[in-house]
């Protein structure tokens, strides 16, 4: 629990000389996930209580922040801003922190790419993040790795809240509204506007208060240990970079319209040409050439610049300047021998569920029974089925169950897929029964 008094009590506990607390709204009972703030409605939160701090951008400023956060108390709220729609990389372009007794800090990681000193200063405390899986990898690149964490989004899912965005939860549980209109901004731009910095600071302003409200609700529902296992799993695996797909070009939006191996080779060639340019420029691939343009060129196979530039997506000046690159990529695909064309990919694991009834009706029956167990159990405990257990784990289990189906072998199989003990405790032995084929 935080040493900083909950927000709704700070008005009564503030001391002379302290920054004025935010107004205290009427806060709904956290036990009712569907309740709404009453008297007066939610209060708009437009500025941090100590004002918007200037970004930390020098080693001396960072040293001051490290000392300040080492002296603080209770959990540390963290967030990071990326520029996914603008940049090729997934690096952090701003890091926000808040701790009781330390205030809020905004750190610019462009001039300060090594935050390991800050990591050491807060290593022993709990870190609070919202949707931690989105930020842990980019924080790890800066040397920030939690040893303990609390994920407010995941906690809300486990507690059965239907709306789990930061703004929705802050309004519902704390009675404050947050504006989210800068969430898709280009955080790589400099200087960052004052309004963006205020937005970033507010993202951590109430995070510890939200953590406390959700922790209380999880405890009330008897789900604290479940959450602890989930958070520990995030600490172990959350900082890993995303798995690189064998053929990432196959995820081109609209590729389902491209028929034939030769046309798919054109998609592949254009995709890799675009990827090289995007990587070199550190630009989001879609800003170099839209997926729709790749698909259009793959379908028509233009052989000259005039025809190419009439296609949708090729009208922009920067795209036109690269016309020779796109034509060369198409020509490369044209010259490929037949044995170098894309082949139907080998699917790892079970086939898509809609094909099970045809390929293996017995397995299809197992999957239906297992899904019924998962959905029913998740409903009984007021949480999404995908948070009770990963859907892919159930598909793999149903497609190829253990040779001898017992509670122990089913549990061992699911542990191999990453299932946690609390999940097994809820699902066994019902899953074991579901795997057995009913006698006719």
């Amino acid at each position: 629990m935080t040493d900083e008094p909950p927000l709704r009590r700070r008005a009564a506990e503030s001391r002379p000389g302290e920054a004025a607390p935010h107004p205290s709204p009427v806060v709904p009972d956290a036990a009712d996930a569907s309740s709404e703030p009453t008297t007066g409605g939610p209060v708009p939160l437009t500025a941090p209580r100590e004002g918007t701090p200037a970004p930390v951008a020098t080693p001396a400023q960072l040293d001051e922040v490290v000392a300040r956060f080492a002296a603080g108390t209770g959990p540390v709220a963290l967030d990071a801003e990326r520029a996914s729609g603008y940049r090729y990389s997934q690096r952090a372009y701003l890091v926000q922190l808040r701790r009781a007794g330390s205030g809020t800090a905004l750190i610019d990681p462009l001039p300060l790419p090594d935050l390991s000193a800050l990591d050491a200063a807060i290593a022993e405390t709990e870190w609070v993040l919202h949707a931690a899986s989105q930020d842990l990898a980019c924080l790890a690149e800066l040397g920030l790795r939690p040893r303990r964490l609390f994920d407010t989004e995941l906690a809300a899912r486990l507690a059965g809240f239907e709306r789990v965005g930061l703004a929705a939860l802050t309004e519902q549980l704390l009675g404050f509204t947050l504006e989210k209109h800068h969430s898709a901004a280009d955080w790589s731009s400099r200087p960052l506007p004052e309004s963006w910095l205020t937005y970033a600071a507010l993202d951590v302003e109430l995070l510890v208060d939200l953590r406390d409200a959700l922790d209380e609700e999880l405890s009330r529902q008897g789900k604290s240990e479940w959450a602890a296992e989930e958070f520990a799993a995030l600490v172990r695996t959350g900082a890993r970079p995303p798995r690189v797909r064998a053929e990432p070009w196959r995820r081109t939006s609209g590729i389902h319209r491209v028929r034939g191996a030769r046309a798919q080779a054109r998609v592949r060639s254009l995709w890799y040409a675009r990827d090289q340019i995007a990587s070199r420029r550190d630009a989001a691939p879609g800003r170099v050439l839209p997926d729709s343009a790749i698909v259009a060129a793959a379908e028509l196979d233009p052989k000259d610049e005039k025809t190419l530039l009439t296609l949708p997506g090729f009208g922009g000046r920067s795209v036109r300047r690269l016309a020779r690159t796109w034509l060369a990529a198409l020509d490369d695909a044209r010259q490929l021998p037949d044995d170098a064309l894309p082949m139907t990919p080998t699917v790892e694991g079970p086939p898509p569920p809609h094909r099970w009834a045809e390929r293996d009706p017995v397995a299809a029956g197992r999957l239906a029974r297992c899904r019924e167990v998962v959905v029913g159990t998740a409903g009984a405990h007021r949480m999404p089925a995908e948070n009770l257990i990963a859907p892919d784990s159930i598909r793999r289990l149903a497609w190829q169950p253990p040779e001898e189906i017992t509670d122990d072998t089913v549990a061992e199989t699911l542990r191999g897929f990453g299932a946690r003990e609390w999940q097994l405790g809820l699902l066994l032995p019902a899953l074991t029964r579901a795997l057995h084929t009913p006698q006719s």
Side-chain angles (χ1 to χ4, degrees):
M1 300 291 286
T2 176
D3 295 334
E4 190 172 7
L7 188 71
R8 53 186 177 271
R9 297 199 299 270
R10 286 189 194 131
E13 299 182 9
S14 60
R15 297 185 295 274
E18 286 187 341
H22 297 301
S24 298
V26 176
V27 181
D29 183 357
D32 181 4
S34 63
S35 59
E36 295 291 340
T38 53
T39 311
V43 177
L45 194 59
T46 58
R49 69 199 76 179
E50 299 101 358
T52 301
V56 171
T58 69
Q61 291 171 339
L62 180 60
D63 289 343
E64 187 274 330
V65 166
V66 169
R68 181 152 46 98
F69 275 78
T73 57
V76 177
L78 287 99
D79 190 26
E81 304 295 345
R82 299 182 305 281
S84 304
Y86 299 88
R87 297 292 180 175
Y88 185 84
S89 71
Q90 292 298 309
R91 65 171 298 174
Y93 286 96
L94 190 71
V95 176
Q96 308 100 280
L97 304 95
R98 182 174 181 84
R99 190 180 194 188
S102 307
T104 296
L106 306 179
I107 300 176
D108 185 348
L110 295 185
L112 299 170
D114 181 4
L115 301 182
S116 54
L118 177 61
D119 178 79
I122 59 176
E124 300 307 315
T125 192
E126 178 185 79
W127 298 13
V128 183
L129 295 95
H130 187 81
S133 61
Q134 297 181 18
D135 291 335
L136 288 177
C138 69
L139 291 173
E141 289 180 356
L142 301 171
L144 295 171
R145 294 176 179 270
R147 285 69 168 175
R148 291 185 293 131
L149 70 77
F150 189 105
D151 184 335
T152 50
E153 184 197 53
L154 182 52
R157 290 183 183 279
L158 294 175
F161 286 80
E162 291 186 7
R163 299 165 62 216
V164 297
L166 179 60
L169 290 170
T170 299
E171 180 174 335
Q172 198 167 332
L173 290 178
L174 303 178
F176 288 94
T177 58
L178 291 174
E179 294 292 337
K180 300 302 291 180
H181 51 277
H182 293 310
S183 59
D186 180 6
W187 290 92
S188 68
S189 63
R190 293 295 184 272
L192 292 170
E194 181 77 9
S195 62
W196 295 18
L197 297 174
T198 297
Y199 162 90
L202 289 175
D203 267 359
V204 292
E205 180 81 0
L206 303 179
L207 209 47
V208 173
D209 296 283
L210 185 59
R211 172 244 184 264
D212 290 345
L214 288 166
D215 185 56
E216 182 180 339
E217 177 61 13
L218 288 170
S219 178
R220 189 192 71 81
Q221 294 186 25
K223 297 176 179 178
S224 295
E225 291 302 317
W226 304 357
E229 285 193 50
E230 292 301 300
F231 300 157
L234 272 174
V235 169
R236 289 193 303 271
T237 65
R240 295 175 186 169
R243 181 173 61 90
V244 178
R245 294 178 176 272
E247 295 183 301
W249 61 272
R250 292 188 182 274
R251 293 178 63 81
T252 303
S253 180
I255 195 174
H256 61 279
R257 302 204 312 266
V258 179
R259 303 296 182 187
R262 184 69 61 180
Q264 290 198 344
R266 293 192 284 271
V267 173
R268 180 177 64 184
S269 188
L270 285 166
W271 191 97
Y272 281 109
R274 179 186 69 174
D275 194 65
Q276 288 180 351
I277 296 167
S279 177
R280 186 172 68 246
R281 293 181 177 176
D282 190 18
R287 298 180 76 84
V288 175
L289 185 69
D291 280 9
S292 59
I294 290 179
V295 170
E299 289 181 309
L300 187 63
D301 190 21
K303 299 174 178 61
D304 58 75
E305 186 171 327
K306 181 179 179 181
T307 307
L308 176 74
L309 297 183
T310 63
L311 296 179
F314 286 92
R317 181 182 303 173
S318 62
V319 176
R320 291 200 307 270
R321 282 202 299 262
L322 292 167
R324 292 184 181 180
T325 299
W326 312 132
L327 289 171
L330 289 167
D331 189 59
D332 287 345
R334 212 174 287 123
Q335 302 301 322
L336 286 174
D338 288 348
D339 60 4
L341 297 177
M343 300 175 63
T344 302
T346 302
V347 179
E348 295 182 7
H354 66 272
R355 297 183 181 170
W356 284 36
E358 178 184 344
R359 292 186 55 176
D360 190 338
V362 175
R366 284 195 299 264
L367 179 62
R369 295 191 299 274
C370 287
R371 281 177 164 174
E372 187 176 352
V373 168
V374 171
V375 171
T377 306
H381 293 280
R382 295 177 57 234
M383 72 175 70
E386 61 269 22
N387 288 113
L388 175 57
I389 195 163
D392 184 63
S393 298
I394 294 299
R395 287 194 294 269
R396 289 175 180 272
L397 176 69
W399 184 253
Q400 192 170 6
E403 204 167 298
E404 182 184 4
I405 301 174
T406 67
D407 284 356
D408 289 341
T409 60
V410 171
E412 183 180 0
T413 300
L414 289 174
R415 286 190 190 102
F417 299 148
R420 262 72 79 184
E421 295 306 310
W422 73 270
Q423 296 170 326
L424 300 179
L426 291 179
L427 292 169
L428 293 173
L431 273 183
T432 303
R433 291 195 297 271
L435 290 171
H436 286 284
T437 303
Q439 299 299 318
S440 24

